[in-house]
């Protein structure tokens, strides 16, 4: 039946994409958690056939449909594996598992008409990445990471930037060493976002910087810059707050690569900040000594 669905979408002269594509996506996704490998492969291949019929301009229109199908599939996996903390969708763990759906989310991030739609597409992409394995994700790292870095650098509402930064954090966790070529770009992007006007963006950037340090061996220059930022009297309290969180993250994930003088500087700066009138700054500064 799955194979026939794919052939129907590809070849039937009576196929009506406007009315039938969503239905096929939903039904095929129901097979993405099947226990039979032949069924998984047939459903996955057919999904690629179906989504290939969608024009590039129309792809963002299917973000909601695929996101809902993803959520239902993850719920099914969660119910079957209640002890697990990772809900992997079997069909998406096949080699190049995200191939049938990844462009739907990417085009939503890149070209959806509204900020809300771009945010939803980014969240859907994050969910998809969380539902596959590191091995299956590897083939998509370049196609996903590059566009996200470009978009987060553009002028977008804070909700969109926050969603993209969270997605990049999930990519770092899941992609691991495959993200190594993007480390310089990601670090520059995250540091820039530490000065964003919105606290949600700054905090997501601070978290992402910490995660990135698992892939970075040369961290002293970054630590030095971050410490200089919090030591400066010209730095606003909100930016110092997120920067202290970033420092704590750098120590947590890359502390072994930090030279002793910078450890001392970071600890001294953090203790000095405990006298700040900003409760947020005090809270974030208190993390740094514990990580160091």
């Amino acid at each position: 039946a799955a194979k026939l669905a794919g052939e129907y979408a590809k070849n039937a002269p009576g196929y009506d994409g406007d009315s039938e594509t969503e239905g096929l996506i939903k039904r095929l996704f129901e097979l993405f958690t099947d226990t039979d490998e032949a069924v998984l492969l047939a459903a996955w291949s057919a999904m690629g056939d179906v989504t290939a019929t969608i024009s590039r301009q129309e792809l963002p229109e299917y973000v909601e449909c695929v996101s809902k199908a993803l959520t239902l599939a993850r719920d099914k996996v969660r119910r079957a594996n209640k002890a697990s903390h990772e809900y992997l969708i079997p069909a998406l763990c096949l080699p190049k598992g995200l191939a049938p759906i990844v462009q739907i989310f990417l085009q939503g991030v890149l070209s959806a008409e509204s900020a809300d739609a771009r945010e939803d597409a980014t969240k859907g992409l994050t969910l998809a990445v969380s539902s596959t394995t590191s091995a299956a994700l590897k083939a998509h790292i370049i196609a996903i990471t590059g566009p996200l870095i470009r978009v987060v650098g553009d002028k977008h509402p804070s909700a969109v930037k926050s969603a993209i930064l969270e997605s990049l954090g999930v990519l770092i966790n899941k992609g691991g060493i495959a993200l190594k070529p993007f480390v310089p770009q990601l670090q520059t992007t995250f540091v820039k976002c530490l000065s964003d006007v919105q606290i949600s963006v700054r905090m997501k950037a601070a978290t992402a910087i910490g995660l990135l340090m698992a892939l970075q061996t040369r961290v002293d220059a970054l630590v030095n810059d971050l410490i200089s930022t919090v030591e400066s009297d010209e730095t606003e309290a909100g930016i110092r707050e997120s920067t202290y969180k970033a420092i704590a993250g750098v120590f947590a994930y890359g502390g072994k690569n930090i030279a002793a003088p910078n450890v001392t500087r970071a600890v001294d700066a953090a203790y000095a900040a405990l006298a700040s009138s900003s409760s947020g700054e005090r809270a974030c500064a208190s993390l740094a000594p514990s990580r160091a």
Side-chain angles (χ1 to χ4, degrees), residues 187-195 202 205-210 212-213 218-232 235-236 239-252 258 262 265-267 269-270 281 288:
Q187 182 171 306
T188 299
T189 299
F190 296 156
V191 170
K192 182 179 180 181
C193 287
L194 286 176
S195 301
R202 297 197 301 270
T207 299
I209 285 175
L212 189 65
M213 291 305 103
R218 299 177 180 178
V219 300
D220 264 318
L222 171 62
V223 171
N224 183 64
D225 289 344
L226 294 176
I227 296 172
S228 296
T229 297
V230 297
E231 288 177 337
S232 173
T235 303
E236 297 177 6
I239 295 176
R240 280 201 302 269
E241 178 182 343
S242 56
T243 305
Y244 274 119
K245 184 176 180 180
I247 291 172
V250 172
F251 274 100
I258 301 175
N262 273 334
R265 280 185 67 203
V267 172
E281 184 179 348

Side-chain angles (χ1 to χ4, degrees), residues 192-215:
K192 182 179 180 181
C193 287
L194 286 176
S195 301
D196 195 88
V197 295
Q198 294 294 332
I199 187 171
S200 61
V201 175
R202 297 197 301 270
M203 289 304 182
K204 289 288 175 62
T207 299
I209 285 175
L211 295 174
L212 189 65
M213 291 305 103
L215 305 176

Side-chain angles (χ1 to χ4, degrees), residues 27-110:
R27 295 297 175 261
L28 288 170
F29 240 107
E30 291 174 3
L31 301 178
F32 272 30
T33 56
D34 200 276
T35 56
D36 188 291
E37 187 174 349
V39 174
L40 288 180
L41 186 57
W44 181 84
S45 297
M47 182 70 79
D49 293 334
V50 171
T51 56
T53 67
I54 306 170
S55 70
R56 196 176 189 85
Q57 294 75 20
E58 293 176 334
L59 285 171
E61 298 174 15
Y62 291 87
V63 166
E64 183 178 2
C65 171
V66 177
S67 294
K68 287 182 178 178
L70 262 173
T71 301
L72 290 173
R74 282 174 61 87
D75 286 345
K76 189 174 181 179
V77 171
R78 177 180 54 80
R79 291 193 299 270
N81 303 277
K82 293 183 179 180
S84 176
H85 298 293
E86 191 174 32
Y87 307 127
L88 303 178
I89 297 175
L92 297 184
C93 297
L94 294 169
K96 300 182 180 180
L98 297 182
I101 61 171
V102 68
Q103 285 302 321
I104 289 175
F105 292 122
L106 282 177
Q107 288 305 309
V109 174
L110 294 170

